[in-house]
Amino acid sequence: MRLAIVSTGHTKFGKLKQGIEELMLDVCNQALSKANTDIDAVDAIYISNFSSSFTGQCHLPAVLASKLGVDKEITRVESACASGGIALKEAAISILSGFYNTVLVIGVEKMCDTPIDQVTQILASAASQEEIKHGATFPSLYALMAQRHFYDFGTTEEHLAKIAVKNHKNALNNPLAQFHKEITVDDVLKSRVVASPLKLLDCSPVSDGAAAVLMTTEENALKYTDSPVYYIGIGHDTGTIDLKSRETISTMPAVKKASAKAFAMCGLTPPDIDVAEVHDCFTISELLQIEDIGFCDKGMGKQMIEACRTDIDGDIPINPSGGLKAKGHPIGATGVSQVVEIATQLRGEAGKRQVRDAEYGLCCNIGGTGATAVVSIFSR
Amino acid sequence: MRLAIVSTGHTKFGKLKQGIEELMLDVCNQALSKANTDIDAVDAIYISNFSSSFTGQCHLPAVLASKLGVDKEITRVESACASGGIALKEAAISILSGFYNTVLVIGVEKMCDTPIDQVTQILASAASQEEIKHGATFPSLYALMAQRHFYDFGTTEEHLAKIAVKNHKNALNNPLAQFHKEITVDDVLKSRVVASPLKLLDCSPVSDGAAAVLMTTEENALKYTDSPVYYIGIGHDTGTIDLKSRETISTMPAVKKASAKAFAMCGLTPPDIDVAEVHDCFTISELLQIEDIGFCDKGMGKQMIEACRTDIDGDIPINPSGGLKAKGHPIGATGVSQVVEIATQLRGEAGKRQVRDAEYGLCCNIGGTGATAVVSIFSR
């Protein structure tokens, strides 16, 4: 049985007025109305949400049921910033099991109402508390990974800056992106140092937002759309939370394993992929994933960037949406938002940011410093 | 395909020295060693945990992977106090889908290191924030439900007290229970009023603890045990989070619907059940569930209590473990702990609290004021 994505929903990302329940309802209604159906057609809902500490609200399944005014089988899943990918996987499994036919996946986070020092603290709850206790934060952990990559492979700050520049450029054509501001390599290099070598413009922002995906069986799909996107590869891996336990920190072992599983499931290889959304919470993260997914050999990411191969008109466009860097990163929504972009690209509906002839797409959604990785592969 | 529970693990419940990661590791190791196997036999792990606010630690899947020293496919699910039931359901679905053969379910919560006023606030995050804003807390919401039940059906404080007395008596024979203290109806009635008519001894305590269940396919089961317990009925429902939206508050609609689904799946009816663990976070909650599951007609719970039918030697023993009231209620662990008790009963391994000739058992795990309900049915 093939799984089909038949519809999507997506709010603007950024600082939004709506509360978390309105954001969920908004993307739910978008996905249903685009599929010309209503909530009765949905057997179950999976909600991806990172931390209740942003809103003081746990038990989102019941909040959503109230907002919808129906009762349903609703479940929340969490795996730090990889929550969205996990929700998608759980939804897929629930259909494969025969338990459900049609499932809605909603990713949501509401972060901008929380003071920034508190946001940092909440984000740090996704890291090893031992490392946090010794003064680490996510920017500093990723900075260590970047420094090691520089040392191992000769990558430079300019390479990372070019990733930010590309993603900001792509976001100009995404009306739902948080930032619509072109930047230069010089802007990145001159922006405030957050944790050397990472500067402010190497980091994804704090965001509110939600995204949704309506998934069903292949045989049901044509009820909802003429252009379903098929979900053909699922890879998931959870490794050690702390950097200190890893053999090397210039690679993300969970990304390698999750990618291998996803490719094995659908019989494809990295060169088959026409477009990818990867988890660029920091620019170094995009670089590591380009290598660990297998778009190039380890250490060769810098050459891909130099050759503009990951640009929107390159041979493997990465983050045409603008990525986490410029589209925004409302944690629980991110993994679902990646799938919305890939579905939009494979359907040829991405407008000015459309990648040419995209047949196969990939999403890489990670949690923490890559302790959790979910890689999903789609075909049109 | 039938699902089989082949092994379990369970810490003592109460104020424990171990941290959340040690608690997870402890029950994991118990479940594996009792099944004479190791972590390599486990394809995936589902973790039930309510709130990271107790420990400051999100991303428990990666914490567990670190502790185990392996990489695995690990997922956390949350649905307030029903998280454990949800984890069990997700694990079952994952096996039914063919994605995995053998899955470990771990429920865990570490609450006792958190100051009590903060615990109350964290628990309140599972309720409607609108009702909380108007001064409600879980004891007061359940008190409203109790008052309405008294008004509708003539139930009294004495009936509720008898539930607490029974559960404390049962816990005397459960070495892992938090309380080993016999109490009388008078003790309950004279204990401090928390929210009238609920008194201190009508309320479950704050607890640390963990529980685990190892689940596999029927054909794999005999590799691990001679006495598997079969998971034959799964019912899940999510309704409105707030009391004010419900037609009546002397019943839990989600429990009725989840029960109906679980019974329909296995073709049983309430009189077939020989033993049940229900979610007595407050004594009124046990009473509501006895009725809403269908062990008696609505409003007749008081007569079941008067006739001692839910005692350990009654015709439908409820909470032989001591229940949440006396065994303890470490939120994320509770739903998994209920399954451990039922599996133990159906295997005839419950020692002094063994129910006679138990062939079919049921667990009812709820979230919030019953907005989420998961009903699971097992056979030996």
Side-chain angles (χ1 to χ4, degrees), chain A residues 46 50-53 56-63 65-66 70-80 86 89-90 93-94 96-97 99-100 125-127 129 234 236-242 257 261 265 367-368 371-372, chain B residues 46 50-53 56-63 65-66 70-80 86 89-90 93-94 96-97 99-100 125-127 129 234 236-242 257 261 265 367-368 371-372:
Chain A
Y46 285 86
F50 165 52
S51 179
S52 57
S53 300
Q57 182 72 70
C58 279
H59 207 188
L60 287 183
V63 171
S66 298
V70 295
D71 69 295
K72 279 285 158 204
E73 307 193 9
I74 315 180
T75 298
R76 173 192 163 216
V77 297
E78 179 265 332
S79 210
I86 293 283
K89 178 197 169 203
E90 289 304 301
I93 286 178
S94 77
L96 290 173
S97 72
F99 224 74
Y100 305 124
S125 71
Q129 293 315 295
I234 307 171
H236 172 202
D237 194 66
T238 314
T240 54
I241 195 164
D242 42 3
K257 290 182 188 171
K261 290 179 201 177
M265 187 167 162
T372 298
Chain B
Y46 285 86
F50 165 52
S51 178
S52 57
S53 300
Q57 183 71 71
C58 279
H59 208 189
L60 287 184
V63 172
S66 299
V70 295
D71 69 295
K72 280 284 156 202
E73 307 194 9
I74 315 181
T75 298
R76 173 190 164 217
V77 296
E78 181 265 331
S79 209
I86 294 285
K89 177 196 169 203
E90 289 303 302
I93 285 178
S94 78
L96 289 173
S97 72
F99 224 75
Y100 304 125
S125 72
Q129 293 314 294
I234 308 172
H236 172 202
D237 195 65
T238 314
T240 54
I241 195 165
D242 42 3
K257 289 181 188 172
K261 291 179 200 176
M265 187 168 164
T372 298

Side-chain angles (χ1 to χ4, degrees), chain A residues 13 70 88-89 105 116 130 206-207 235 286 343 370:
Chain A
F13 280 3
V70 295
L88 198 81
K89 178 197 169 203
V105 181
I116 191 67
E130 202 187 329
V206 170
S207 321
E286 175 165 326

